[in-house]
Amino acid sequence: MTRNTQHGKRVRRTAAALALPLALALNIVPALASPSPDEVVPDRQPSNVQNGVALLRIVVPDQDGVDRLNSMGVDLAEYKKPVDDGIEVHAVLSPEEAQELREQGFDVRDSISDQSDFAANQAERRVAMAAAAAAAAETDTLTPLRAEWFTSLEGQRFLSIEVKSSATDAQTVLTASWDSGPNTASGSGGTATMSRFTDAGQYMYHRFGSPLAINEAPTSVTITSNRGGSVTVPVTKWLGGTRKAPTHYVSDFIDHYMDPTEVTERVTSLAAEFPKISQIIDLPNKTNGYRRQAQAQFGTVQASTLYVTSKAYGSEGGNDITVALVKPATASAPLSVAVNGKDVVVNLATNASGAITSTAAQVGAALNGNSAASALLTANTYRGNAGTGVVAAAAATKLTDYLKAPANIKREPFQMKALRIGKSRDGSKVGVFLYCQEHAREWVTPLTCVETAERLLRNYAKDATTKKLVDNLDIFIMPTVNPDGAHYSMYDYNMQRKTMVNYCAANAADPANRNSWGVDLNRNFSVGSIFDGYSGASSSCTGETYAGPGKLSEPEARNEVWLTQQFPNIKFAMNTHSYGGYFMWPPGAYKSAGRELLPRVDFGTENFFWDASSYILSAVQEHRGTAIWPGRTGPIPDVLYSAAGNSADEHWYNRGIVGWDFEVGADIYDPKTKRFTAVGFQPPFREGHEEAMEFSTGQIAILEVAQAFNKDHQRPESTLKITGQTDTRTTFTFEIDEPANVYYTLDGSRPTLNSPKLTTASMREGAAQITVDKTTTVNWFAVDIAGNVEKNYKPDGNGKNYNKAIVKVGKD
């Protein structure tokens, strides 16, 4: 049976639904040229000094070229598309790195975004946050625009209200309460939250998404704001209204890119506001935190360069340490170290003529050998160099952790949180796990999770569909999986993909490497990992897909696993990334030799993925028409590349959780040029906002798929279909009216769950064909994804109510 023929009763029942860039450290990638022995590798900080790190297009002839870039550790985005002359991929590169690739024959083209785009996003964010802060500091003024009731042709009354607040930020929430006629109390007719209406990125006013159905004609309505504003106005009758209004629904609760502190505060406040249907779960493993050891580097030529690193984090005293390299006024002076509090002075050795003779290695040894100095810091030569060059004197230099976030971003281990939503949060309902921002630079993704949480909680009281979801599911939302890296991306290096933790040895732990440290969380899981020989991750501590020192070494990854283990009712999951507009599922990794995939999901589950995808992606399309291409839908390696140790594989193979991966940010079609344009990791907020809106709708659709699964008690139906016949053999397969697995026997025996199972013919194909060379009795039954067995057959019993057919061959 082909996939397209399986859109029968189950779909109708259901319908009733990158990774941040990989920082490339060319000096440690064997395939790329090393820097000159006399050069110190330039810092990759996002500033003019950095000299232009950008997101660039690369076109390679075929998949081998993609795999070569991946194996070299190039900072590839999770983006790939066919073009006329090969395959286009995107990479984060400095000018030097781009030139290295060009010299190796790679076709490196123009940029998608660069540091000027980052600066524009930051400026826009600061303006939005300043406006929000100003609005929060004073009571807003509410200006009523319209307040009317009307009657439809069917005689149903409706209420329509439009009110403008002087507070224009997305956190302003207006609530309307109306009476039920003359001389009745305010609120007796009803209460509802209003929706924030924006156009072209600008706040217009608040309204109901559609008119609200009411029983009695009100005479007045009171609108109140969470900012303190309030106004009461009369409700007048308006003639019109010929359509039956859709269910009341509010959306659009974001107005700027949010850092993890903001995101976590938002979901915490939601749980406090809606305690009857939500709660916060403090995850057990705190992150390492937005913090680094303080450092300073001395020298510009490798042989005479050394750097020092504080023992304490910069925020815990490391930033207070100073180091000076002093040339004595006397000749033939010995090398010595003096420490006064946190001030370290190295008195350099001189020869008989008074010239400095101390080498970088000697200064490092002196610092490390001094008990007072070594209690404060460690010293190392530059990237494993022997350090035989003579150092230069240097004035007292204050160590720094280089971190630029404002003071409200705490420099301590971060308490990760998950928001649990559901009327019954006792494990009795099917659980759905929505998680975002495993990769720090994907700024749109946490907004998607926040928007979904807001919609579920704020629409619960008025929207019947939302109420059913919250009443019948157990929803877990982890809006920012990588808070440390995301803080770093927001404030220090916008292209940070990984966490902030530094596992590098001294030969790669100098300050200029600080934007290359960290672990790729979506390569740190235990299934199909680099530690098992699978491709698509790096063992280099500066590689952008660095898998960490071991499986599940990172607290952030362990928090995901803990949640799915602690709540075994979780049956569905969605991991939201950016960019490229992909929709993917397991398996997600293969071994390069022979492209040895992790086991593919079975035939029934694969078809469930496809059928559910059609529903979910149709929901994404509703917002502004975005269509996820069929070629970007399917198992991860089929449409992108191998991703060893990813979280979707972890949750599917270890716990049977049906999980998808969104890559928000689909290419945008320009009708003038007739070309698709990539949007990148951090598009202007206007575009980022639209991506969050449409993929939040997709997350809601996943919940609807889960609810349909929860309510599915209908048994599948299957038939045997002859697909080919000759004098000596007959070929057949099975057709099923919904995604389900078929178990069959060819020897006349009773079929069980241990019998052969129908498989897919091949990648992205339909059901396999079965060939027999003699007349054969075929017995079979089907089991759908929800566990419903065809004809209520008991595979482990003694019944005979399985399906039976005789497949004839030739003249038998």
Side-chain angles (χ1 to χ4, degrees):
M1 169 179 183
T2 63
R3 185 174 296 113
N4 291 336
T5 62
Q6 297 188 18
H7 289 210
K9 64 182 182 183
R10 182 54 45 81
V11 173
R12 291 193 292 273
R13 294 203 299 273
T14 303
L18 190 350
L20 295 183
L22 308 171
L24 175 64
L26 292 177
N27 61 296
I28 67 164
V29 180
L32 298 180
S34 298
S36 164
D38 294 329
E39 294 178 356
V40 171
V41 174
D43 186 354
R44 294 188 68 189
Q45 276 297 100
S47 65
N48 291 335
V49 177
Q50 185 190 356
N51 193 24
V53 168
L55 182 62
L56 301 177
R57 305 175 200 274
I58 304 175
V59 174
V60 295
D62 51 28
Q63 181 63 38
D64 288 342
V66 179
D67 290 341
R68 182 183 171 205
L69 288 169
N70 199 18
S71 68
M72 291 164 64
V74 173
D75 190 0
L76 291 177
E78 285 135 343
Y79 181 91
K80 184 180 74 173
K81 76 173 180 181
V83 292
D84 292 341
D85 45 354
I87 297 173
E88 177 181 320
V89 295
H90 300 161
V92 176
L93 301 170
S94 71
E96 294 85 357
E97 294 163 347
Q99 185 59 33
E100 291 277 359
L101 289 176
R102 289 188 180 103
E103 290 173 2
Q104 293 196 42
F106 286 97
D107 183 6
V108 182
R109 300 187 179 181
D110 59 320
S111 68
I112 295 164
S113 65
D114 56 26
Q115 296 302 311
S116 64
D117 301 307
F118 169 60
N121 274 328
Q122 289 287 52
E124 184 180 45
R125 180 176 182 271
R126 286 192 293 271
V127 170
M129 293 186 67
E138 59 183 15
T139 301
D140 61 342
T141 300
L142 302 184
T143 303
L145 304 179
R146 304 180 71 93
E148 298 156 323
W149 69 269
F150 60 91
T151 303
S152 71
L153 292 176
E154 295 82 10
Q156 174 65 56
R157 296 185 179 91
F158 296 91
L159 177 65
S160 177
I161 303 169
E162 299 170 1
V163 180
K164 188 172 184 177
S165 169
S166 61
T168 61
D169 64 290
Q171 297 181 52
T172 299
V173 179
L174 302 189
T175 303
S177 299
W178 56 93
D179 61 27
S180 53
N183 303 316
T184 59
S186 177
S188 61
T191 299
T193 303
M194 303 185 72
S195 181
R196 181 174 177 271
F197 170 48
T198 61
D199 185 58
Q202 299 297 312
Y203 168 73
M204 305 301 290
Y205 51 83
H206 279 71
R207 64 181 183 181
F208 298 137
S210 58
L212 294 183
I214 55 176
N215 294 323
E216 304 294 335
T219 58
S220 67
V221 60
T222 297
I223 300 95
T224 57
S225 167
N226 64 333
R227 303 293 193 195
S230 179
V231 64
T232 300
V233 294
V235 180
T236 59
K237 189 175 186 299
W238 179 66
L239 298 175
T242 59
R243 297 179 61 199
K244 182 178 181 180
T247 304
H248 167 62
Y249 196 81
V250 294
S251 61
D252 196 351
F253 297 97
I254 56 171
D255 66 355
H256 65 276
Y257 285 123
M258 301 168 67
D259 67 41
T261 295
E262 294 176 89
V263 168
T264 303
E265 289 173 349
R266 177 74 76 87
V267 297
T268 301
S269 67
L270 284 173
E273 186 176 354
F274 298 95
K276 293 184 178 180
I277 55 173
S278 66
Q279 67 186 88
I280 287 292
I281 299 173
D282 284 336
L283 300 173
N285 303 293
K286 289 187 177 182
T287 71
N288 190 62
Y290 178 75
R291 55 184 184 170
R292 286 267 173 83
Q293 273 80 18
Q295 295 184 301
Q297 185 164 296
F298 302 90
T300 58
V301 178
Q302 290 190 15
S304 58
T305 295
L306 75 153
Y307 69 95
V308 295
T309 303
S310 65
K311 293 287 184 69
Y313 287 106
S315 55
E316 297 175 0
N319 287 339
D320 300 327
I321 300 171
T322 65
V323 175
L325 307 184
V326 177
K327 177 183 179 182
T330 60
S332 302
L335 176 63
S336 65
V337 176
V339 179
N340 181 14
K342 291 189 177 182
D343 298 324
V344 181
V345 176
V346 180
N347 295 298
L348 301 172
T350 58
N351 60 18
S353 62
I356 297 172
T357 59
S358 297
T359 66
Q362 290 169 343
V363 172
L367 285 167
N368 294 331
N370 182 283
S371 59
S374 63
L376 295 173
L377 53 81
T378 58
N380 291 282
T381 57
Y382 182 78
R383 300 196 178 177
N385 192 281
T388 57
V390 174
V391 301
T397 301
K398 194 172 186 179
L399 276 63
T400 175
D401 60 12
Y402 296 96
L403 299 180
K404 302 173 184 176
N408 70 297
I409 306 302
K410 296 179 180 179
R411 272 71 168 172
E412 61 185 34
F414 193 90
Q415 176 60 67
M416 291 176 60
K417 298 178 184 290
L419 177 64
R420 187 180 188 183
I421 298 174
K423 183 179 180 181
S424 301
R425 301 183 303 280
D426 56 5
S428 63
K429 305 294 184 180
V430 168
V432 183
F433 178 30
L434 306 177
Y435 56 111
C436 296
Q437 204 173 32
E438 281 186 335
H439 291 148
R441 65 193 174 196
E442 298 168 4
W443 290 6
V444 174
T445 64
L447 305 186
T448 306
C449 271
V450 167
E451 175 69 18
T452 297
E454 291 269 10
R455 292 186 189 182
L456 290 170
L457 294 173
R458 298 201 183 280
N459 287 296
Y460 178 76
K462 284 292 178 181
D463 178 59
T465 300
T466 302
K467 188 175 189 303
K468 289 178 182 178
L469 293 176
V470 175
D471 285 351
N472 294 305
L473 295 174
D474 198 356
I475 304 161
F476 300 84
I477 300 178
M478 194 183 296
T480 176
V481 177
N482 184 3
D484 299 346
H487 278 130
Y488 195 75
S489 174
M490 188 70 72
Y491 296 108
D492 300 281
Y493 175 60
N494 67 306
M495 286 300 179
Q496 180 76 5
R497 169 189 175 97
K498 303 182 289 182
T499 64
M500 284 183 64
V501 65
N502 176 19
Y503 284 113
C504 288
N507 64 355
D510 58 275
N513 253 345
R514 64 188 178 274
N515 291 334
S516 297
W517 297 332
V519 173
D520 183 344
L521 292 177
N522 207 30
R523 302 296 186 274
N524 187 235
F525 291 89
S526 68
V527 175
S529 75
I530 190 174
F531 307 103
D532 301 315
Y534 285 84
S535 302
S538 172
S539 58
S540 167
C541 68
T542 57
E544 278 303 307
T545 54
Y546 177 48
K551 299 178 182 180
L552 297 173
S553 61
E554 303 313 294
E556 297 90 341
R558 293 198 301 274
N559 279 336
E560 280 191 36
V561 172
W562 176 87
L563 190 75
T564 57
Q565 290 177 336
Q566 186 75 9
F567 303 100
N569 59 316
I570 294 176
K571 302 300 181 185
F572 295 89
M574 167 52 66
N575 182 10
T576 302
H577 284 265
S578 73
Y579 63 99
Y582 291 85
F583 194 58
M584 303 175 290
W585 54 82
Y590 56 76
K591 296 178 180 179
S592 293
R595 202 176 186 272
E596 181 186 340
L597 272 171
L598 284 168
R600 287 192 178 271
V601 300
D602 60 34
F603 176 77
T605 303
E606 177 81 358
N607 282 286
F608 181 82
F609 274 124
W610 278 105
D611 283 8
S613 296
S614 176
Y615 181 78
I616 294 163
L617 297 181
S618 294
V620 171
Q621 193 178 38
E622 290 174 4
H623 179 71
R624 57 170 179 170
T626 297
I628 305 304
W629 304 348
R632 293 185 178 181
T633 303
I636 296 168
D638 293 358
V639 299
L640 197 57
Y641 46 63
S642 178
N646 70 82
S647 59
D649 286 345
E650 171 78 28
H651 303 322
W652 166 250
Y653 291 101
N654 282 346
R655 283 168 288 285
I657 295 171
V658 174
W660 289 270
D661 291 283
F662 267 146
E663 291 282 348
V664 309
D667 290 359
I668 296 175
Y669 184 71
D670 184 342
K672 294 181 180 179
T673 63
K674 297 183 179 180
R675 293 182 62 183
F676 285 93
T677 301
V679 296
F681 295 108
Q682 299 147 19
F685 180 73
R686 178 184 299 182
E687 167 62 21
H689 170 273
E690 294 303 295
E691 293 173 16
M693 292 300 104
E694 62 193 1
F695 282 91
S696 175
T697 302
Q699 288 184 337
I700 296 295
I702 288 165
L703 300 180
E704 293 167 352
V705 167
Q707 179 179 241
F709 169 89
N710 191 34
K711 296 169 61 178
D712 180 15
H713 301 295
Q714 188 167 339
R715 304 185 187 284
E717 296 178 4
S718 62
T719 57
L720 186 150
K721 180 181 179 181
I722 303 297
T723 56
Q725 200 163 24
T726 68
D727 290 341
T728 59
R729 63 184 58 190
T730 298
T731 300
F732 67 93
T733 189
F734 300 98
E735 292 188 341
I736 322 155
D737 67 339
E738 60 168 296
N741 285 310
V742 173
Y743 297 84
Y744 64 92
T745 63
L746 303 179
D747 59 1
S749 64
R750 186 177 181 276
T752 71
L753 294 174
N754 294 319
S755 300
K757 185 162 61 171
L758 183 66
T759 64
T760 54
S762 187
M763 182 181 72
R764 301 170 79 83
E765 293 186 20
Q769 306 292 304
I770 303 166
T771 300
V772 293
D773 56 8
K774 62 180 179 180
T775 297
T776 301
T777 298
V778 182
N779 299 329
W780 80 93
F781 66 95
V783 184
D784 69 17
I785 304 305
N788 299 305
V789 182
E790 187 174 12
K791 298 181 179 179
N792 200 26
Y793 173 66
K794 306 296 183 185
D796 57 351
N798 297 310
K800 302 293 185 181
N801 56 326
Y802 44 80
N803 297 305
K804 310 175 186 67
I806 296 177
V807 176
K808 293 187 176 182
V809 176
K811 299 179 180 179
D812 286 352

